[in-house]
Amino acid sequence: MCNTNVKSGTELYAKLYPESSSDGVLRLGNIVPDFHADTTQGPMDWHKWIEGSWAILFSHPADFTPVCTTEIGRLALKYDELAAKNVKLATLSADPVDSHNKWLNDVVAHCENKVTIDFPIIGDADRSIAVKYGMLDPGNKDSNDLPLTIRAVFIIGPDKKLKLSLNYPASVGRNMDEIVRCIDALQLSAKHSIATPANWPYNHDSIGKKGWAFLLPTVTPEDAQKHFPDHHSCKVPSGVDYLRLIDVNKLNLNN
């Protein structure tokens, strides 16, 4: 097992992000906007609800739409897995809660698996939350048109800072496996001085290092040798030793 006492470089990187933006635009590293809203599970104070957990805010434009109906069903299948990773899940659309409750009957009926919707769906009928989170231009807040840009995923850390965001058009359904993969990568990086490569955990299979991750540049050669003696350095023409892979299965993932 690797010694993971080396200070996490992720903490250093996090300090490079301001906690708030100078122009009001929500960006990675910012503390996400707080709000009070009605949900299918009762009133919610967002920051208080997140307290001590990771959180996902998963938005969709409107109830009774085809792609969103499948997304909520597939998301429900990931609920227990995400809860086991200390991730709270909430969804949002620009409809009132009464509409959500009626629509959820369709969601459950259409999903080929037996599902229950155990996460709250936030009512954002006035679109104020969508505007706060940059999903909708303020000029469209009072429009009666379908708010198509309200199709996003926000992954938020226990510190209430935005760790990752994804935006999708109306014609492309989201992949729930990718969302879980992002959670796994973010949590792994938060605990250890590593970064996950492209296509992780299916990367570097050709060299027998499938699922391995890179040490961050903040790990000195001395610390790499001391704390990660089994790391593998990929040889490249430049000769620079920066592609340093470690077996994440040897990390103490409980720390």
Side-chain angles (χ1 to χ4, degrees):
M1 183 175 291
C2 296
N3 186 335
T4 55
N5 291 328
V6 60
K7 187 175 179 63
S8 173
T10 305
E11 295 179 12
L12 176 62
Y13 282 5
K15 293 178 181 178
L16 301 177
Y17 295 106
E19 291 190 346
S20 60
S21 64
S22 59
D23 56 7
V25 177
L26 180 62
R27 295 186 177 91
L28 294 182
N30 293 168
I31 295 175
V32 298
D34 195 10
F35 58 82
H36 177 83
D38 290 328
T39 79
T40 52
Q41 295 184 357
M44 169 189 285
D45 290 303
W46 180 236
H47 277 193
K48 185 177 180 180
W49 186 81
I50 292 174
E51 195 67 43
S53 300
W54 289 75
I56 295 174
L57 180 61
F58 185 101
S59 64
H60 58 276
D63 302 337
F64 303 103
T65 53
V67 175
C68 300
T69 297
T70 60
E71 288 181 321
I72 298 301
R74 303 312 297 184
L75 194 58
L77 293 172
K78 296 295 185 182
Y79 177 80
D80 289 340
E81 182 179 357
L82 289 168
K85 300 176 188 292
N86 191 33
V87 180
K88 290 184 175 180
L89 175 62
T91 65
L92 171 150
S93 86
D95 288 300
V97 172
D98 286 348
S99 174
H100 296 340
N101 286 325
K102 294 175 183 177
W103 173 55
L104 288 181
N105 293 322
D106 290 357
V107 172
V108 172
H110 181 73
C111 189
E112 62 269 27
N113 304 80
K114 292 182 178 179
V115 297
T116 57
I117 310 302
D118 297 320
F119 46 84
I121 301 184
I122 298 164
D124 188 29
D126 65 359
R127 305 181 181 184
S128 60
I129 300 171
V131 170
K132 281 184 178 182
Y133 276 73
M135 293 183 275
L136 193 67
D137 187 280
N140 293 333
K141 182 176 181 292
D142 299 320
S143 171
N144 292 323
D145 292 332
L146 186 66
L148 289 179
T149 53
I150 304 182
R151 258 182 125 247
V153 178
F154 300 92
I155 299 181
I156 302 156
D159 55 4
K160 302 181 182 67
K161 293 180 180 180
L162 181 63
K163 306 301 182 183
L164 181 148
S165 64
L166 300 166
N167 286 284
Y168 284 74
S171 58
V172 181
R174 286 163 280 191
N175 187 313
M176 306 312 150
D177 290 331
E178 170 62 9
I179 292 173
V180 173
R181 188 191 78 92
C182 288
I183 285 287
D184 287 341
L186 287 166
Q187 291 187 340
L188 195 60
S189 181
K191 294 176 183 177
H192 307 286
S193 287
I194 61 174
T196 51
N199 296 338
W200 180 84
Y202 305 107
N203 57 290
H204 292 92
D205 194 16
S206 63
I207 61 172
K209 310 297 181 186
K210 183 178 180 180
W212 287 34
F214 287 123
L215 289 175
L216 289 176
T218 54
V219 179
T220 66
E222 294 76 20
D223 279 340
Q225 190 58 44
K226 178 180 179 181
H227 298 292
F228 308 96
D230 297 328
H231 76 272
H232 171 81
S233 292
C234 299
K235 303 302 180 184
V236 288
S238 68
V240 180
D241 186 19
Y242 65 99
L243 297 170
R244 302 172 298 172
L245 288 165
I246 64 166
D247 185 355
V248 298
N249 294 314
K250 292 185 178 181
L251 294 172
N252 185 355
L253 300 180
N254 293 321
N255 282 347

